[in-house]
Amino acid sequence: MLLNPYDQMLWLSVAGDIGRGGITPFWSVPGGGLEEGESFEAALRREMREELGLQTLASGLHVATFEGLTQWGGRWYDNDSRFYVLRVDQAEFSSAGHTQLERDTVRGYRWWGYEEIRASSELFLPKAIVDVLGEVVGGSWDGVVRTIGPEPHTLPSG
């Protein structure tokens, strides 16, 4: 969860098959998978370098964990993600390290304020991270790491 000095969070504009019937546009946080033997904190630094060109980042504050099945490209994945709050001043990002999949699906970046997200009709995933953002920027986060999961309608049947 990258936050700028105005408490806006950086979101990626993405379009992909997330199991809602064809290609779905949505907003997602920057991130990615762990490489073998890599810690979540090391993956955080690597992904921010690859996806955004951010070279030096301290480990952020761990605020949420996402556990559950998610769908992408017609396949189900067991997703175990960590969300960290990182404050950045940088407004320009580089996509030089994007994989081919990212070049095909990421359409851009945007800073969103909590109230803007709540008023928007656009899809933000995972949806529950928006509530965590509200707690963090509103000063009501109590220091307890939140456990969030997929929306019930996105789970496989059977």
Side-chain angles (χ1 to χ4, degrees):
M1 299 174 59
L2 292 175
L3 299 179
N4 69 16
Y6 308 102
D7 283 337
Q8 295 170 315
M9 184 173 161
L10 184 70
W11 291 81
L12 304 174
S13 174
V14 181
D17 177 3
I18 58 172
R20 295 183 176 203
I23 302 301
T24 301
F26 63 100
W27 293 93
S28 179
V29 298
L34 292 173
E35 294 181 353
E36 190 167 332
E38 189 175 43
S39 70
F40 281 99
E41 292 81 9
L44 169 69
R45 287 187 294 277
R46 178 183 50 75
E47 288 289 346
M48 294 304 100
R49 193 172 47 252
E50 290 174 1
E51 288 195 14
L52 302 172
L54 297 174
Q55 298 301 318
T56 57
L57 284 177
S59 290
L61 181 64
H62 181 198
V63 294
T65 298
F66 177 97
E67 296 175 356
L69 295 173
T70 56
Q71 189 174 12
W72 181 263
R75 293 186 54 202
W76 287 96
Y77 296 90
D78 188 12
N79 190 334
D80 180 7
S81 299
R82 304 291 184 266
F83 291 85
Y84 298 85
V85 173
L86 298 167
R87 296 217 173 249
V88 296
D89 291 328
Q90 186 169 341
E92 297 291 324
F93 300 102
S94 167
S95 60
H98 278 189
T99 65
Q100 186 60 49
L101 175 64
E102 290 163 338
R103 286 190 294 273
D104 292 343
T105 59
V106 175
R107 296 178 172 185
Y109 307 94
R110 179 175 168 195
W111 293 102
W112 287 83
Y114 171 70
E115 293 299 332
E116 285 181 292
I117 295 169
R118 299 224 353 123
S120 175
S121 62
E122 301 206 36
L123 178 62
F124 291 82
L125 296 175
K127 186 176 180 181
I129 203 63
V130 175
D131 292 331
V132 177
L133 171 64
E135 290 180 39
V136 169
V137 300
S140 64
W141 186 65
D142 58 9
V144 176
V145 175
R146 303 292 187 255
T147 299
I148 61 176
E151 300 295 311
H153 66 276
T154 64
L155 296 176
S157 58

